[in-house]
Amino acid sequence: MDAEGFGELLQQAEQLAAETEAISELPHVERNLQEIQQAGERLRARTLTRTSQETADVKASILLGSRGLDISHISQRLESLSAATTFEPLEPVKDTDIQGFLKNERDNALLSAIEESRRRTFATAEEYHRESMLVEWEQVKQRILHTLLASGEDALDFTQEAEPSFLSDTGPSGRSALDSVEVAYGRQIYVFNEKIVNGHLQPSLGDLCASVAERLDDKNVSEMWAMVKQMTDVLLVPARDALNSRTSVEMQMAFVSRALQFLEQSYKNYTMVTVFGNLHQAQLGGVPGTYQLVRSFLNIKLPGPVPGLQDGEVEGHPVWALIYYCMRCGDLVAAMQVVNRAQHQLGEFKNWFQEYMNSSDRRLAPTAENKLRLHYRRALRNNTDPYKRAVYCLIGKCDITDNHGEVADKTEDYLWLKLNQVCFEEDSTSSPQDRLTLPQLQKQLLEDYGESHFAAGQQPYLYFQVLFLTAQFEAAVAFLFRIERLRSHAVHVALVLYELRLLLMSSGQSARLLSQEPVDPPMIRRLNFIRLLMLYTRKFESTDPREALQYFYFLRNEKDSQGENMFMRCVSELVIESREFDMLLGRLEKDGSRKPGVIDKFAGDTRAIISTVAREAENKGLFEEAVKLYELAKNPDKVMGLMNKLLSPVVSQVSAPQSNKERLKNMALAIAERYRTQGISAEKSVDSTFYLLLDLITFFDEYHAAHVDRAYDVMERLKLVPLSQDSVEERVTAFINFSDEVRHNLSEVLLATMNILFTQYKRLKGTTPASPARPQRALEDRDSQLRTQARALITFAGMIPYRMAGDTNARLVQMEVLMN
């Protein structure tokens, strides 16, 4: 068979070759097998180039078709897509097609309006999100900044704050965080606030705080409060704000005068202590007065002759030393007594001193002052008598570069000397070396010398005194506040200054504790008083909220960067941090009346404060506390609205003692009872949702307790789901009016109701055969009714416009099938 086939093929090939040779027009080509193969490959390659796209399409169709995809339909859809980013005519129209043109214009106008609305919506949402982030960041920033203890310190306290949680009911420990000094100050703050709240005459906060120092038996603290009282006992200059008042010439002159009086009285007390401690050497005598005191003091200080002293002696003591120490004790009359006794040796000095003593501002007339300065420069600058040079510099306010170290060997002496040389009037005739202004002195002490020069770490009271006596109150308070053991003193000094309107406060709450603003004059510092107070109270606000509230009352007239009252804001944070809702804000009695809290005596309208705290608690997720607070604030809409949110997740749960559902149910029932007794109602939809959820809780409690008939009766009265085919349409229409809190539980309600019907059906099938008491017809009617009700539930579940959870529909159908 095969041989015959090959023979026939050979014969045909020979015949073809003979025919080809007979044709003379075609050239005769002879190729071997390799050449024929190469030519075939070239021909195949040209064919593949033309058909590769078709082949790829065929392969793609085969691949996608095997997965059930229609490649031709997908291609058509892809070709119909447009990448245009602007609105264009939906379909091409002819120039003469007016109807088509108008239709396109109308469609494009609608699309443009939709696009513009979408753009505005996204822009508004973006702006709201940005504002929310800024507010949240501002709050976080405040918490971070409050951990800084002073200006210039970069170290942050990263101790994690305990976030409040409504799941945690643990309260603060009963142990107070206040030490004895803080308790003593707190008692005086309480007395001060009580007087103000009750409308009595406002007492002196400085006197109250100074009385604490007397009981502490601490000399440094007593001297500090004596200085504060002395410096703040000035006649306030009428001005728009504290800055204008503090920078006025009258006020600055008053501060310098008060500082000099304090230093002079302190030195006089020091001389008296020295003299009475060395009576034998002092030889005081029986004549009272400053002159006799200074003479006795010099018996101790300068017991023997001192080389270089000039102009003789008075009663055995150098003249200029007597004059200087009488001035140092603040008694110019005693100094004049010395001048009169030695007037023959002093030349023209008596006239100058007489004029100096009689002037109101302790300054010579310009002519006399220039004459004295000229005499000093020519004859006394290099004088060997240090007391004489010091007295001339005091009276003439000249040579401010000389520190007079031989005479002013202590910081207080140096400060007294420099304050005496301070000038306030503009005087173009004075040379720079003869003119010292208060800002210059402040800069020299605070910036040029600073803490290291005065060894502030070892002598904090001294450095505080240096700054305070030069009217740098804010810098002094900020320095003292940085020292833990002295922090309470600094805070109460700041409170005294604040009450007297002498404190310069930072314009922004985010500023450092001590800051300098660009618009202020040189050497003006501002204290972040709000931050200072909040830093101080943070230590004990969780353990002693009553005391913290007393301090927050000072902020009743201050506002934060968002315009919110700082007292209300601090109270809100205090209540939430301490969790002392009942003690601070009051509580509701069983009869609905409100028992007052601590806050009542500080605010006439406590409802506003309670509402603020309630909003803060709600924002922090403390919904149960917020409900109680809104009820205190008599806001039933918020009470029921939040209770609906709390009840909705637990409606279908099984009740157990001390469970979350049991606690919320009891809370809701108590609210419902109070509102029903008092006739209080909320907005209609919120009110109806609240009572419907309570009824659903009753339904599920009966259902879980296997009280099937009772649960059925409750659901039948609620009319929440259809129990007959005739009521399906009505229930579907009513479903639209239900709130999300009710809709959230619909799946569980349907399943529970279907379970009740199925249980009743099984019970019916398991009963004994028909009897005269229950005829067969009644059993059949009941059986038909249960199946009809089950079908009504299935129909209802399919018709409502709501996506139910999980496999609800499948389970409903399964139970309905089992009943059929």
Side-chain angles (χ1 to χ4, degrees):
M1 191 80 179
D2 294 341
E4 291 178 0
F6 278 114
E8 184 180 353
L9 182 62
L10 176 61
Q11 184 181 0
Q12 291 177 358
E14 289 175 350
Q15 183 181 354
L16 180 62
E19 292 176 356
T20 302
E21 290 176 355
I23 301 174
S24 59
E25 289 85 0
L26 294 176
H28 185 72
V29 178
E30 292 184 359
R31 293 185 180 181
N32 56 26
L33 290 176
Q34 184 177 2
E35 291 174 341
I36 292 173
Q37 183 183 3
Q38 292 175 353
E41 291 290 339
R42 287 195 297 273
L43 181 60
R44 177 174 174 273
R46 287 199 300 271
T47 304
L48 283 177
T49 303
R50 291 194 301 269
T51 62
S52 59
Q53 184 63 42
E54 290 82 355
T55 306
D57 292 342
V58 171
K59 291 181 178 180
S61 298
I62 294 172
L63 175 64
L64 296 175
S66 64
R67 298 295 187 269
L69 298 174
D70 185 357
I71 186 66
S72 61
H73 181 63
I74 293 175
S75 300
Q76 292 173 2
R77 291 187 62 187
L78 290 175
E79 290 173 0
S80 66
L81 294 178
S82 173
T85 58
T86 58
F87 293 104
E88 301 172 353
L90 301 180
E91 57 185 23
V93 295
K94 296 179 181 179
D95 293 341
T96 57
D97 187 0
I98 297 177
Q99 293 296 330
F101 173 76
L102 293 177
K103 180 178 181 298
N104 275 2
E105 287 296 314
R106 176 180 174 276
D107 292 344
N108 286 334
L110 290 174
L111 292 172
S112 299
I114 293 171
E115 174 64 18
E116 179 63 21
S117 176
R118 185 189 69 84
R119 188 189 62 78
R120 284 202 304 266
T121 301
F122 276 96
T124 304
E126 186 72 21
E127 183 64 23
Y128 284 157
H129 177 258
R130 180 175 174 274
E131 290 179 0
S132 176
M133 285 185 60
L134 288 176
V135 171
E136 184 178 354
W137 167 237
E138 184 67 25
Q139 294 172 351
V140 174
K141 188 167 63 175
Q142 293 302 324
R143 287 201 298 269
I144 294 174
L145 288 173
H146 284 171
T147 59
L148 291 169
L149 295 182
S151 63
E153 289 194 0
D154 298 325
L156 294 176
D157 179 14
F158 287 107
T159 54
Q160 187 173 2
E161 295 181 1
E163 288 293 332
S165 170
F166 65 91
L167 299 176
S168 166
D169 293 327
T170 57
S173 61
R175 188 173 180 181
S176 174
L178 294 168
D179 59 31
S180 58
V181 177
E182 292 164 344
V183 169
Y185 276 128
R187 193 175 295 115
Q188 300 305 318
I189 295 297
Y190 171 79
V191 172
F192 179 79
N193 285 337
E194 282 291 307
K195 296 286 187 182
I196 295 178
V197 168
N198 295 327
H200 297 160
L201 185 65
Q202 179 172 325
S204 169
L205 185 58
D207 292 340
L208 292 173
C209 293
S211 65
V212 174
E214 296 172 2
R215 290 194 293 271
L216 292 178
D217 194 24
D218 188 328
K219 179 184 176 183
N220 289 323
V221 177
S222 298
E223 290 182 354
M224 180 194 75
W225 277 110
M227 175 187 64
V228 171
K229 288 174 61 179
Q230 178 85 10
M231 289 294 293
T232 55
D233 187 17
V234 293
L235 184 63
L236 293 179
V237 176
R240 289 177 299 174
D241 54 20
L243 178 62
N244 291 332
S245 177
R246 283 275 299 275
T247 53
S248 65
V249 175
E250 296 88 345
M251 182 68 79
Q252 291 189 345
M253 290 179 67
F255 285 143
V256 171
S257 175
R258 287 290 176 181
L260 288 172
Q261 290 176 21
F262 174 77
L263 290 169
E264 288 163 358
Q265 186 60 44
S266 299
Y267 197 80
K268 188 172 183 180
N269 294 337
Y270 163 72
T271 58
M272 291 177 65
V273 171
T274 305
V275 168
F276 285 108
N278 300 273
L279 286 174
H280 178 71
Q281 184 179 358
Q283 300 177 5
L284 180 60
V287 181
T290 305
Y291 170 76
Q292 193 67 26
L293 180 66
V294 169
R295 192 187 65 79
S296 303
F297 177 70
L298 287 178
N299 286 333
I300 302 170
K301 191 170 182 66
L302 302 175
V306 179
L309 301 184
Q310 297 180 354
D311 298 328
E313 297 179 347
V314 173
E315 296 186 9
H317 293 290
V319 172
W320 292 108
L322 281 170
I323 296 173
Y324 172 81
Y325 284 112
C326 285
M327 293 179 67
R328 182 68 182 87
C329 292
D331 195 337
L332 296 182
V333 175
M336 191 66 201
Q337 185 179 349
V338 179
V339 171
N340 288 330
R341 291 192 179 190
Q343 57 181 319
H344 298 296
Q345 299 103 298
L346 305 183
E348 200 174 355
F349 178 80
K350 178 183 177 181
N351 298 330
W352 291 333
F353 192 82
Q354 185 79 37
E355 181 181 347
Y356 176 82
M357 186 178 69
N358 293 332
S359 65
S360 59
D361 58 350
R362 293 288 186 267
R363 186 162 186 185
L364 299 175
T367 305
E369 188 174 71
N370 290 334
K371 191 173 181 181
L372 183 146
R373 290 177 177 177
L374 181 62
H375 175 69
Y376 173 82
R377 283 196 294 270
R378 288 179 176 177
L380 299 178
R381 174 170 291 177
N382 299 318
N383 195 282
T384 57
D385 191 337
Y387 295 103
K388 186 175 183 178
R389 282 190 287 110
V391 171
Y392 267 85
C393 287
L394 287 170
I395 296 176
K397 300 183 185 298
C398 57
D399 199 8
I400 62 174
T401 57
D402 190 350
N403 292 334
H404 303 280
E406 307 96 323
V407 176
D409 55 346
K410 293 183 178 179
T411 301
E412 293 87 345
D413 299 327
Y414 169 81
L415 197 58
W416 175 79
L417 192 66
K418 291 302 177 184
L419 285 171
N420 265 300
Q421 292 180 307
V422 169
C423 300
F424 294 98
E425 297 85 0
E426 292 293 335
D427 186 3
S428 57
T429 61
S430 299
S431 61
Q433 65 179 9
D434 291 335
R435 178 169 175 77
L436 178 66
T437 62
L438 185 59
Q440 286 176 340
L441 179 60
Q442 291 173 338
K443 180 178 184 299
Q444 186 180 37
L445 297 173
L446 180 64
E447 297 180 1
D448 298 343
Y449 289 161
E451 297 180 21
S452 58
H453 177 82
F454 294 100
Q458 289 75 37
Q459 304 179 84
Y461 288 105
L462 176 64
Y463 189 59
F464 176 81
Q465 185 185 75
V466 167
L467 296 178
F468 207 86
L469 288 175
T470 52
Q472 300 184 85
F473 304 142
E474 295 74 22
V477 170
F479 161 72
L480 206 63
F481 185 81
R482 292 189 352 234
I483 303 172
E484 178 70 31
R485 60 188 174 87
L486 305 179
R487 185 165 297 171
S488 58
H489 304 308
V491 170
H492 291 87
V493 171
L495 288 173
V496 170
L497 294 170
Y498 176 78
E499 282 298 312
L500 293 173
R501 293 177 174 78
L502 290 174
L503 189 68
L504 298 180
M505 297 172 57
S506 303
S507 57
Q509 192 188 342
S510 60
R512 287 183 169 185
L513 196 62
L514 185 68
S515 60
Q516 189 173 15
E517 299 188 1
V519 296
D520 289 342
M523 293 314 299
I524 291 295
R525 299 290 191 275
R526 290 181 179 267
L527 185 71
N528 194 334
F529 176 70
I530 296 175
R531 184 172 154 216
L532 178 94
L533 213 57
M534 295 179 72
L535 277 172
Y536 178 67
T537 55
R538 175 179 294 180
K539 171 185 175 183
F540 56 86
E541 62 184 12
S542 59
T543 58
D544 304 87
R546 289 175 180 266
E547 285 69 20
L549 192 62
Q550 298 285 343
Y551 286 94
F552 290 150
Y553 188 60
F554 284 90
L555 303 178
R556 60 192 179 275
N557 297 322
E558 303 298 328
K559 296 185 181 298
D560 63 5
S561 55
Q562 280 80 40
E564 183 182 357
N565 184 277
M566 280 305 303
F567 174 61
M568 297 180 68
R569 175 181 161 184
C570 290
V571 169
S572 174
E573 294 177 359
L574 174 66
V575 171
I576 292 174
E577 290 294 331
S578 65
R579 311 296 294 277
E580 294 286 354
F581 297 97
D582 295 345
M583 180 188 76
L584 294 173
L585 301 179
R587 70 170 185 266
L588 280 178
E589 301 291 356
K590 292 182 179 180
D591 59 356
S593 62
R594 175 177 171 271
K595 182 179 180 181
V598 179
I599 193 65
D600 284 74
K601 67 179 179 182
F602 291 111
D605 183 15
T606 57
R607 187 179 299 182
I609 295 180
I610 296 173
S611 298
T612 301
V613 179
R615 283 194 299 271
E616 187 68 22
E618 182 182 358
N619 293 335
K620 288 180 176 287
L622 305 175
F623 296 125
E624 293 182 43
E625 288 80 358
V627 167
K628 297 175 183 177
L629 293 172
Y630 278 126
E631 194 174 6
L632 275 177
K634 301 188 182 305
N635 190 342
D637 290 343
K638 294 296 292 185
V639 171
M640 290 189 171
L642 286 177
M643 280 307 304
N644 292 342
K645 292 182 179 179
L646 289 170
L647 291 174
S648 179
V650 302
V651 162
S652 60
Q653 294 177 6
V654 179
S655 289
Q658 299 181 350
S659 65
N660 194 28
K661 178 183 178 179
E662 191 69 18
R663 184 181 71 254
L664 291 173
K665 182 179 75 172
N666 294 335
M667 184 176 174
L669 289 173
I671 292 173
E673 181 64 28
R674 279 195 295 271
Y675 280 3
R676 185 163 50 245
T677 303
Q678 299 171 28
I680 298 174
S681 61
E683 194 266 327
K684 185 176 180 181
S685 61
V686 177
D687 194 89
S688 61
T689 299
F690 176 72
Y691 289 107
L692 180 56
L693 289 173
L694 283 179
D695 291 335
L696 284 176
I697 288 177
T698 304
F699 166 74
F700 278 105
D701 285 348
E702 299 290 358
Y703 170 71
H704 291 307
H707 299 152
V708 177
D709 295 332
R710 293 184 192 173
Y712 178 84
D713 293 339
V714 172
M715 185 53 61
E716 192 175 26
R717 289 197 302 271
L718 289 180
K719 297 182 180 181
L720 183 62
V721 295
L723 293 176
S724 66
Q725 287 291 347
D726 298 336
S727 61
V728 172
E729 290 287 346
E730 180 185 349
R731 297 291 178 265
V732 171
T733 305
F735 175 80
I736 301 173
N737 299 322
F738 290 138
S739 64
D740 288 337
E741 290 82 8
V742 176
R743 294 183 185 186
H744 175 76
N745 292 280
L746 187 63
S747 300
E748 298 296 331
V749 169
L750 286 171
L751 288 173
T753 307
M754 184 66 83
N755 266 317
I756 290 171
L757 295 177
F758 184 61
T759 302
Q760 290 179 336
Y761 176 80
K762 288 194 299 182
R763 186 174 62 190
L764 182 66
K765 291 299 183 183
T767 57
T768 57
S771 63
R774 294 190 66 182
Q776 182 66 28
R777 182 62 180 270
L779 295 176
E780 291 176 357
D781 289 346
R782 179 58 180 158
D783 179 273
S784 176
Q785 181 188 14
L786 290 173
R787 289 200 298 270
T788 302
Q789 290 177 334
R791 280 195 298 273
L793 290 180
I794 296 294
T795 306
F796 175 75
M799 291 180 64
I800 57 174
Y802 184 73
R803 185 183 181 89
M804 289 185 290
D807 56 348
T808 303
N809 287 322
R811 293 169 63 185
L812 290 172
V813 171
Q814 182 181 11
M815 282 187 282
E816 195 263 344
V817 168
L818 291 174
M819 293 173 65
N820 289 283

